[in-house]
């Protein structure tokens, strides 16, 4: 017999849905048959799978250990050890400073990404067990391009994941980026346009007019420093689309330095030679949380920043710290 005590990350869902996660190789017909025969019970009583689970509920599996093992497979990808730069962590959320060159989420099955490194970190810390990963997996909530560095928000608990997803969706979580662009930008502006993505090339174009299948975009920026023919911009994403900052700034004649998709090759070559810039100079620098209800009121108005990478320090003397 195996006993499963429902925790906070598993509560609120139907019993049959949770059973499908723990016995993920078993068909639904098998699960319903076991419940009809009382080989699976909920709080010592017969169940049909439609019950909504609460914290502390006990699910008992009166099945042979071999049967449970046969129908259970918790996939945990083995990855190389990676020390994460954790800016903030509590029982519900983590804010991680992702380095340039790391995937936020895997693109193909064999990839290693921040998600896999996060799971590995939590297992090593004892913050989660292999069995608990069957019912809920911590994950990142926002994505950065592989060569964009900076803050990525991750849900460590189901409640944390839902809260972060909510404030990202309604755009009440304010996200600020730092980027180095070609040319002299003298004043701040809010710019708008329409973005079209080409899924074949994973490249976007920006136009002033609405186009078929286009999405409206809005980007706000202000200059922080001007040195060596470059401008350091603080950028706020009003909307959040694929490659928005990179393509939007390039469309107004100020491409990001080191951007080999939307930038200028001579500019990139010069920056590589003078300042060892090898990838796009775009950094997810700061997150400011909105007013939040319980149990997340402790985060209300809090601001978190990710340290500025070295290439920025080589290019600019005046850098914002907070």
């Amino acid at each position: 017999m195996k006993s499963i005590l429902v925790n906070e990350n598993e509560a609120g869902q139907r019993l049959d849905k949770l059973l499908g996660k723990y016995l993920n190789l078993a068909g639904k017909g098998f699960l319903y048959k076991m419940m009809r025969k009382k080989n699976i019970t909920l709080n010592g009583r017969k169940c049909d799978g439609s019950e909504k689970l609460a914290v502390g509920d006990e699910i008992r599996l009166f099945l042979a250990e071999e049967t449970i093992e046969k129908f259970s497979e918790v996939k945990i990808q083995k990855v190389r050890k990676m020390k994460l730069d954790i800016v903030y962590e509590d029982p519900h959320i983590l804010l991680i400073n992702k380095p340039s060159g790391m995937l936020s989420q895997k693109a193909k099955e064999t990839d290693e990404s921040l998600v896999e490194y996060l799971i590995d970190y939590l297992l090593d810390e004892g913050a989660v067990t292999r069995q608990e990963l069957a019912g809920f997996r911590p994950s990142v909530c926002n994505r950065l391009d592989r060569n964009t560095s900076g803050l990525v928000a991750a849900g460590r608990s189901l409640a944390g994941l839902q809260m972060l997803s909510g404030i990202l969706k309604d755009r009440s979580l304010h996200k600020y980026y730092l980027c180095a662009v070609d040319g002299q930008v003298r004043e701040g502006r809010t710019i708008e346009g329409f973005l079209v993505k080409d899924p074949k090339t994973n490249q976007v174009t920006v136009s002033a007019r609405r186009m078929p299948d286009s999405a409206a975009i809005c980007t706000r920026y202000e200059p922080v420093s001007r040195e060596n023919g470059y401008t350091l911009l603080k950028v706020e994403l009003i909307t959040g689309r694929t490659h928005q900052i990179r393509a939007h700034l390039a469309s107004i004649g100020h491409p990001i330095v080191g951007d080999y998709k939307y930038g200028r090759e001579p500019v990139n070559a010069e920056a590589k030679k003078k300042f060892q810039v090898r990838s796009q100079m775009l950094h997810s620098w700061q997150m400011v949380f909105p007013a939040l209800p319980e149990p997340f009121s402790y985060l209300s108005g809090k601001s978190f920043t990710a340290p500025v990478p070295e290439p920025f320090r080589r290019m600019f003397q005046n850098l914002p710290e907070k």
Side-chain angles (χ1 to χ4, degrees):
M1 191 274 291
K2 180 181 179 66
S3 175
I4 301 170
L5 288 177
V6 176
N7 60 37
E8 291 181 348
N9 293 329
E10 299 164 338
Q13 61 187 303
R14 284 171 52 117
L15 171 61
D16 53 3
K17 185 176 180 181
L18 184 63
L19 286 172
K21 293 176 180 177
Y22 273 95
L23 300 173
N24 58 312
L25 300 182
K28 289 185 178 180
F30 173 80
L31 297 177
Y32 291 129
K33 180 181 179 181
M34 292 301 99
M35 286 186 277
R36 286 195 304 271
K37 296 178 67 175
K38 293 184 69 174
N39 286 339
I40 299 178
T41 64
L42 177 63
N43 297 325
R45 297 188 294 273
K46 187 176 181 179
C47 51
D48 63 16
S50 66
E51 296 83 359
K52 199 167 187 178
L53 298 171
V55 175
D57 281 347
E58 184 183 23
I59 304 164
R60 290 186 175 180
L61 309 178
F62 294 95
L63 304 170
E65 191 66 35
E66 296 80 11
T67 302
I68 295 173
E69 289 181 4
K70 175 184 174 183
F71 290 129
S72 302
E73 182 184 34
V74 180
K75 289 186 177 180
I76 301 174
Q77 183 176 340
K78 186 174 179 59
V79 295
R80 65 186 185 277
K81 290 298 176 184
M82 184 69 65
K83 182 173 175 57
L84 297 179
D85 182 5
I86 297 174
V87 173
Y88 174 79
E89 180 178 10
D90 67 33
H92 293 291
I93 72 168
L94 298 99
L95 301 179
I96 304 165
N97 182 20
K98 183 189 83 69
S100 174
M102 181 186 290
L103 288 169
S104 296
Q105 294 177 310
K106 60 168 62 181
K108 57 182 184 294
E109 190 63 29
T110 55
D111 285 340
E112 292 185 10
S113 75
L114 181 56
V115 174
E116 286 71 50
Y117 300 136
L118 171 62
I119 296 294
D120 190 59
Y121 163 76
L122 293 173
L123 284 168
D124 284 349
E125 292 292 305
V128 68
T129 65
R130 294 180 68 93
Q131 178 175 314
E132 288 171 337
L133 289 174
F136 169 75
R137 284 193 176 232
S139 185
V140 302
C141 298
N142 65 306
R143 296 176 63 175
L144 298 178
D145 295 336
R146 180 197 286 266
N147 292 320
T148 298
S149 60
L151 286 176
V152 175
R156 180 169 157 171
S157 70
L158 177 61
L161 190 67
Q162 291 172 335
M163 179 274 291
L164 288 171
S165 297
I167 61 177
L168 283 163
K169 185 176 181 179
D170 67 20
R171 299 173 187 161
S172 59
L173 177 68
H174 293 285
K175 297 183 293 179
Y176 299 93
Y177 292 72
L178 293 178
C179 62
V181 300
D182 181 38
Q184 301 289 306
V185 181
R186 300 286 178 184
E187 59 183 12
R189 286 179 59 196
T190 298
I191 54 176
E192 299 180 344
F194 296 92
L195 181 148
V196 179
K197 181 178 180 180
D198 184 341
K200 292 182 180 179
T201 63
N202 193 33
Q203 194 157 347
V204 304
T205 55
V206 175
S207 68
R209 295 179 297 173
R210 185 178 292 278
M211 307 287 283
D213 300 318
S214 65
I217 57 173
C218 183
T219 309
R220 182 177 298 142
Y221 65 81
E222 61 180 85
V224 176
S225 179
R226 291 186 296 273
E227 300 177 43
N228 304 304
Y230 309 111
T231 303
L232 178 66
L233 295 181
K234 178 182 176 182
V235 180
E236 180 181 7
L237 272 180
I238 309 302
T239 57
R241 309 290 184 186
T242 301
H243 300 177
Q244 178 179 321
I245 295 176
R246 298 164 62 191
H248 214 174
L249 292 175
S251 74
I252 62 169
H254 293 291
I256 291 175
V257 178
D259 189 338
Y260 290 90
K261 183 168 282 190
Y262 301 100
R264 297 179 180 137
E265 180 53 38
V267 173
N268 295 341
E270 183 180 27
K272 182 177 181 180
K273 181 179 179 180
K274 286 186 176 180
F275 305 104
Q276 297 80 56
V277 171
R278 290 179 170 80
S279 63
Q280 62 212 28
M281 297 287 285
L282 179 60
H283 180 63
S284 176
W285 176 61
Q286 186 177 59
M287 289 184 178
V288 181
F289 281 77
L292 293 167
E294 294 294 346
F296 298 105
S297 60
Y298 64 92
L299 287 169
S300 295
K302 291 288 183 65
S303 172
F304 301 93
T305 59
V308 180
E310 279 305 311
F312 284 86
R313 299 187 180 279
R314 289 194 288 267
M315 289 182 70
F316 299 98
Q317 295 296 314
N318 299 314
L319 290 172
E321 296 300 329
K322 291 184 179 179

